[in-house]
Amino acid sequence: MHTYYFDMKDGVPVRDRTGVELVSDGAAIAHSKQLADKVRIEKPASDPDLRIVVIDESGREVHREQVYP
């Protein structure tokens, strides 16, 4: 298991300090897509630049998921 962090960015980043343990980069990317779906439902069209940036435990950026495509 690896720890992945899901930072919210729209100009000013909101850091994920706890992270989530997942088995792979692919699982982390899938999780970021689920988070984006949840944000779209809870805050429809609040910020067109909002994205979720997936960072692995070594600090490497794995993926960027645009919340409002």
Side-chain angles (χ1 to χ4, degrees), residues 12-59:
V12 177
V14 176
R15 298 283 181 198
D16 174 6
R17 301 281 183 210
T18 55
V20 177
E21 285 194 359
L22 298 164
V23 296
S24 67
D25 288 359
I29 291 168
H31 185 72
S32 74
K33 292 179 184 299
Q34 292 172 345
L35 288 175
D37 289 343
K38 183 177 179 182
V39 171
R40 274 193 296 276
I41 290 167
E42 292 177 1
K43 297 179 183 179
S46 67
D47 184 351
D49 295 329
L50 186 61
R51 61 196 177 279
I52 298 169
V53 181
V54 182
I55 308 292
D56 71 8
E57 58 197 10
S58 71

